[in-house]
Each structure stands twice: as structure tokens, then as C-alpha cells.
Amino acid sequence: MILTKTPQRISIIIPVLNEMEAIQKVLTSTQPNTNVEVIVVDGGSSDGTLEFVQSLGIKVLSAPRGRACQMNMGVTAATGEILLFLHSDTRLPANFDTMIRAALNPLQTCRKIPIAGAFALQIDAPLRSLRLIEWGVSLRSHFLQMPYGDQAIFLKAEIFHQLGGFPELPIMEDFELIRRLKRRGYIAIIPIPVVTSARRWLKKGIFKTTLINQIVICGYLLGVSPQKLVRWYRHQSQLSLSQWFKSVPKLILNINFLK
């Protein structure tokens, strides 16, 4: 009699807040699978997201609003040896579970044993400028070892607990987790992409969205508090392009005063 080894269990943790338009496609992308559980953590949705997910029989938790807090809450209910953190507007590729297990458990001939991993990124819109964004993401992920949360970060639960989980920051929680992982080892990038919504680029503008993100990263690295950064981020997102351009020099001149 030949005994087959049960594949490592993967727990997919999806933080949501008013994602009724996107969540069905995201959940569909988690199927079919082998030995995978899905946990949705709601941050106070009022658009029917919570009720819809519950109607599917998927495990649902509630947590205070905030992606880091919601994802950490999801981990408390996870039973998998591997954790996969999936944004609520990002769809997984077929056979994602097989690829994740292979990435975290490479053949013995491999020189580098990954401590974590993520997928390549595809943005769901046909604009050429978004192909440039994807190219930049690929360079950052491979050469700087810095994938972000919309690339579906995964790692072994043991490592996640050793790191103390996501730092409960109002912004930059994925950035900080990856920085901590980098100090401990290699981060694998699966070349098959996840597909993420283009909505934030289309709503705010591709150039504006990209530059705001880079300013927030620079501010964080310079020691600006995440609380002040998230207030600035939300304010800038509401400005027109001309208003925003006028505000950027002032921010750069006064960035030290934000600390």
C-alpha cells in the first residue's frame, strides 16, 4: 500500500471593507485547491460584503478597521502551516497552492531556501502606462527583494509568529513585514502573476498614485510617523491634480516637521 503525504495546509487570509463589487471574483480565484482554508476578516463593511461571504459558508471574523489588525486577527483562526495574505481586490492564478508549496519547499539542490514569497503582479487594465508599473514592480521584487501586499505575500506560519505578526500600523504594514523578512532570508517571487484591480490607479491617476506612494515610502524611511503619513495620504488622494502638485513642494520642505 502506497501512502501519499498530505500537502501542507494553506490558510488564505483576506481583509475586507466594503468590497461587495470585488470579493466574489477574489473568492472564486481561490478555487479549486487542495487542503486550503479561506478566512475573511471584515473591518466593518456596510455594503453587504459580510452577509455575502457568510452566505457562502466561508469562515468570517470581525476586527477593528485596519488591514494589519484584520490580517493579524485572521491568523488567530488559521490552522495552516502556510499563511497567504490576499488583498480583497487581487485574484490568484490557477494552481496557486501547488506553486506556493513548491516555492517554500524547493528541491535540495536549490542554493537558496526562501523564508517567504509573493507573486508577480498584473494590473487589470489594458493601459500601456500600467505595463510600466508592472515592470517596475518586477524590478523591485527581484532585485530589491521588496514585494508589496498586492502581490499576495505568503510564508510559513512559524516564521510569521516568530516575527510577531504584522506591525499594527495604519499604513506600510506590508512594507515593514517584508523589511523584517529580508533581514532573515531570501524572498521567492513566483513568475506567474496575481491580477489586481486597477481601480486606485484609474481613480487617482497613474502618475499621481505612483508619486504619492513613493513619497509615503520616503517619509516612512525618514522616520515620519505612520499616523501622520496616513492622514497625509488620505488628504492627498482627495485633491485635484493641480492642487496636489501645489502641495508636494510644501510637504518636501516640511517633511522633518512631520516626525
Side-chain angles (χ1 to χ4, degrees), residues 210-221:
T210 302
L211 199 50
I212 285 177
N213 290 343
Q214 296 311 307
I215 291 173
V216 168
I217 291 168
C218 289
Y220 182 77
L221 292 174

Side-chain angles (χ1 to χ4, degrees), residues 18 20 23 45-54:
N18 295 327
M20 191 61 194
I23 193 62
S45 296
S46 58
D47 68 341
T49 299
L50 179 63
E51 293 77 12
F52 173 73
V53 176
Q54 287 175 328

Side-chain angles (χ1 to χ4, degrees), residues 216-233:
V216 168
I217 291 168
C218 289
Y220 182 77
L221 292 174
L222 288 170
V224 178
S225 77
Q227 290 74 21
K228 290 179 179 178
L229 282 174
V230 76
R231 287 199 297 270
W232 179 84
Y233 177 85

Side-chain angles (χ1 to χ4, degrees), residues 39-83:
I39 302 170
V40 173
V41 188
D42 184 68
S45 296
S46 58
D47 68 341
T49 299
L50 179 63
E51 293 77 12
F52 173 73
V53 176
Q54 287 175 328
S55 73
L56 299 177
I58 293 172
K59 185 183 295 185
V60 181
L61 303 176
S62 295
R65 177 179 177 177
R67 191 174 278 156
C69 181
Q70 289 172 243
M71 291 189 292
N72 284 337
M73 175 64 77
V75 172
T76 65
T79 62
E81 295 97 329
I82 297 172
L83 304 174

